[in-house]
Amino acid sequence: MTHENWGQAREQLVARVGKNNYTTWIEPLKLTTLVGGVAQFEVPTTFFGNWVSRNFADHILSQLQQTGVEVQRVEFAVVRDPEPRAEVKRPAPAPTSLARPLTRPVRPVDEELPGAPLDARFTFDTFVVGKPNELAHAAARRVAEGGPVTFNPLFLYGGVGLGKTHLMHAIAHELQARQPQLRVLYLSAEQFMYRFVQALRERQIMDFKEIFRSVDVLMVDDVQFIAGKDSTQEEFFHTFNALVDQNKQIVISADRAPGEIKDMEERIRSRLQCGLVVDLHPTDYELRLGILQTKAEHYRAQYRGLQIANGVLEFLAHRITTNVRVLEGALTRLFAFASLVGREITLDLVQDCLADILRASDRKLTIEEIQRKVAEHYNIRLSDMIGPKRLRNIARPRQVAMYLAKQLTSRSLPEIGRRFGGRDHTTIMHGVRKIEELMATDSQLSDDLQLLKRLLQS
Ligand code: ADP
Ligand code: MG
């Protein structure tokens, strides 16, 4: 009888909780006993029991009642005994000997979280704040205070080497210092995928879910990595939602804004946009100089007695505009070299020691590169960029490329015209004007331009 009732109740539950929740959380439940108005279910793990108890107990109870069963309470218990499952028809064994009723939520045992190690140097103390990163820094600070969750997720994005990972580690360090009991899990999206695939292969998907849904703070770095990886995306989405529902803080980073990540499911994209989205802008001269001064001070303490001539740091901040990682690399090399040869760090030494880095950052952007990136972005052929077609979906990207060529290179209009299949300079001028005009009203276009500029200049 109860078997049938549970069967009926389950059918109703699909509609109540949704197919996904049903498959994950309701289907695995086994009704073991129904004694004295208490329906007891067997669950695979403690975490599972807590989860179902917190999220679905009311639904389950009311659906059971609607099928006419006399039941006032539902309980979920882990079966410790390896013997075959207790059937409903069997006389119910005493619950204490067989099962552990879950009255209070129990923390999953302190198994090591599958996170990536944190870099001890990436703290707030060592992070230099300037105009380009002040918003991202302030948001990260707020999250690191560990107060009530005010925005979820925090979504940090920006080009390579601008400090996304540094800020995430800083949040983790700070939270851990303030609240050691907090379960903070930091990992890259790639590691997330790797763990997920491994769990699938080893049929430990429940454990995987259990761990990821039991953390207090989840940080996933470089989330663009899972775009186009369908089942990983799907799992990420469920993990994400489960944690948001529990009001747990999530921090995500990516190399571009949520709306710009190709092959990311729409629903994930929109969830990612729900919290606070902040970008780390490319560094400006002041920030680069600030970072160099901070690091140089650190090195001076390390290589005692080593002098830096005036103007060296300014020169570097001016010349190396790519990213902070390159900037750091340059300084590391300078100090190592100078200490080796026992010389002061002068502009001459910089030229000797950093010739390759300086040459690389001297690199001029070419019109071909612009055409290639724009064609890729709008999904058209590179040959159409140069060819004669006048269709709007080709002509517009072509004008975008013309505009960027004018903006980002020092080429003249006739020169640009030649690179666009021998077009006249007036055609180029018209294209550039057209884009300038449209940009003011078309926000999609101005977003596209911003993204393309960033990609081309990084
Ligand atoms: P991303 O994850 O955005 O690619 P990282 O966080 O790995 O970049 O930063 C690259 C390097 O630059 C790291 O060594 C980091 O410490 C340093 N860095 C970046 N931004 C700053 C900053 N504002 N202050 C100090 N160091 C920085
Ligand atoms: Mg990073």
Side-chain angles (χ1 to χ4, degrees):
M1 192 61 200
T2 40
H3 241 1
E4 274 166 36
N5 291 335
W6 177 225
Q8 279 175 31
R10 290 198 337 173
E11 276 169 32
Q12 298 304 314
L13 279 164
V14 185
R16 284 277 283 270
V17 305
K19 181 88 181 78
N20 258 321
N21 275 329
Y22 177 83
T23 320
T24 313
W25 303 110
I26 308 292
E27 213 164 47
L29 296 175
K30 297 281 179 299
L31 181 61
T32 44
T33 61
L34 180 61
V35 186
V38 180
Q40 195 173 68
F41 292 89
E42 180 195 324
V43 290
T45 64
T46 307
F47 166 80
F48 193 109
N50 285 329
W51 184 267
V52 176
S53 165
R54 210 170 327 141
N55 295 284
F56 306 112
D58 293 346
H59 292 311
I60 294 171
L61 184 62
S62 76
Q63 289 305 338
L64 273 175
Q65 287 167 338
Q66 279 179 33
T67 65
V69 196
E70 286 288 322
V71 55
Q72 280 83 44
R73 201 148 54 87
V74 286
E75 272 182 10
F76 305 92
V78 182
V79 175
R80 295 283 168 206
D81 206 327
E83 81 178 85
R85 261 189 203 108
E87 290 296 329
V88 179
K89 284 184 197 120
R90 254 169 58 172
T96 40
S97 67
L98 186 69
R100 187 153 64 98
L102 296 156
T103 42
R104 245 177 297 129
V106 185
R107 260 178 191 282
V109 276
D110 275 327
E111 73 278 84
E112 278 286 310
L113 288 177
L118 298 176
D119 191 318
R121 295 164 308 165
F122 291 177
T123 62
F124 283 117
D125 285 344
T126 58
F127 191 82
V128 181
V129 185
K131 261 228 156 50
N133 61 23
E134 64 181 340
L135 266 180
H137 172 259
R141 279 275 192 195
R142 168 65 68 81
V143 169
E145 283 167 13
V149 175
T150 45
F151 36 77
N152 219 359
L154 168 60
F155 190 100
L156 298 169
Y157 76 93
V160 179
L162 296 181
K164 301 180 295 291
T165 298
H166 189 138
L167 278 179
M168 290 178 105
H169 286 210
I171 294 172
H173 285 306
E174 183 85 12
L175 281 170
Q176 216 92 80
R178 286 172 183 244
Q179 304 177 49
Q181 83 289 357
L182 224 53
R183 291 164 62 86
V184 179
L185 178 54
Y186 164 88
L187 79 176
S188 66
E190 188 176 2
Q191 287 163 327
F192 181 87
M193 183 189 82
Y194 175 75
R195 308 252 179 245
F196 173 62
V197 170
Q198 191 181 33
L200 281 178
R201 203 178 47 226
E202 292 169 7
R203 299 179 185 285
Q204 289 178 336
I205 219 53
M206 285 320 300
D207 293 339
F208 177 89
K209 285 182 188 292
E210 170 165 346
I211 289 167
F212 277 89
R213 282 158 173 69
S214 71
V215 301
D216 297 305
V217 179
L218 176 67
M219 303 207 247
V220 181
D221 208 349
D222 291 318
V223 81
Q224 75 277 354
F225 181 85
I226 60 165
K229 314 217 162 49
D230 291 343
S231 52
T232 304
Q233 266 193 73
E234 176 87 14
E235 185 57 34
F236 174 74
F237 182 67
H238 293 309
T239 306
F240 184 96
N241 287 339
L243 290 171
V244 169
D245 288 348
Q246 292 180 79
N247 219 15
K248 303 294 191 189
Q249 181 72 55
I250 298 177
V251 184
I252 305 285
S253 86
D255 65 352
R256 58 194 73 190
E260 292 166 348
I261 304 179
K262 271 190 198 160
D263 297 325
M264 184 67 102
E265 271 188 62
E266 189 47 46
R267 54 183 186 154
I268 301 182
R269 223 182 262 174
S270 62
R271 285 305 298 247
L272 290 174
Q273 278 161 335
C274 278
L276 181 65
V277 178
V278 275
D279 60 340
L280 290 136
H281 295 275
T283 56
D284 57 14
Y285 174 79
E286 284 79 21
L287 179 59
R288 287 194 297 273
L289 187 58
I291 292 171
L292 285 168
Q293 284 167 340
T294 312
K295 309 253 174 209
E297 207 143 301
H298 173 81
Y299 278 129
R300 261 195 300 250
Q302 195 179 329
Y303 297 92
R304 242 168 290 148
L306 214 73
Q307 294 300 315
I308 305 180
N310 279 336
V312 166
L313 297 183
E314 287 78 1
F315 173 80
L316 292 177
H318 179 69
R319 285 293 302 276
I320 304 178
T321 56
T322 37
N323 75 52
V324 181
R325 201 171 290 136
V326 177
L327 210 57
E328 278 184 342
L331 206 58
T332 310
R333 203 197 295 175
L334 265 184
F335 271 94
F337 189 68
S339 81
L340 208 64
V341 297
R343 274 165 60 187
E344 185 191 11
I345 300 178
T346 61
L347 283 170
D348 278 348
L349 185 107
V350 170
Q351 295 290 355
D352 287 350
C353 173
L354 301 179
D356 56 332
I357 295 181
L358 293 174
R359 216 177 311 116
S361 60
D362 220 19
R363 195 185 63 93
K364 294 264 185 301
L365 192 60
T366 66
I367 293 176
E368 286 68 28
E369 276 175 88
I370 294 173
Q371 291 172 330
R372 197 162 354 100
K373 261 282 174 308
V374 174
E376 197 180 295
H377 179 76
Y378 288 105
N379 232 333
I380 66 171
R381 275 181 232 268
L382 187 58
S383 56
D384 282 340
M385 189 56 83
I386 297 155
K389 285 190 191 154
R390 286 157 166 270
L391 292 166
R392 165 82 78 84
N393 66 340
I394 288 169
R396 191 70 81 225
R398 188 188 291 137
Q399 290 173 329
V400 165
M402 291 173 180
Y403 169 84
L404 289 170
K406 183 75 194 103
Q407 280 255 312
L408 304 179
T409 74
S410 52
R411 303 277 172 215
S412 66
L413 290 176
E415 272 178 301
I416 296 174
R418 270 199 292 284
R419 302 286 161 82
F420 278 87
R423 285 177 160 80
D424 193 70
H425 77 277
T426 52
T427 311
I428 307 299
M429 195 157 56
H430 171 75
V432 173
R433 292 234 177 97
K434 186 78 201 168
I435 296 300
E436 281 170 349
E437 222 175 270
L438 288 172
M439 224 162 56
T441 50
D442 184 341
S443 64
Q444 175 62 50
L445 180 68
S446 82
D447 285 352
D448 284 352
L449 285 167
Q450 239 187 6
L451 170 69
L452 284 164
K453 268 193 203 172
R454 209 175 48 237
L455 290 175
L456 285 164
Q457 289 181 319
S458 66

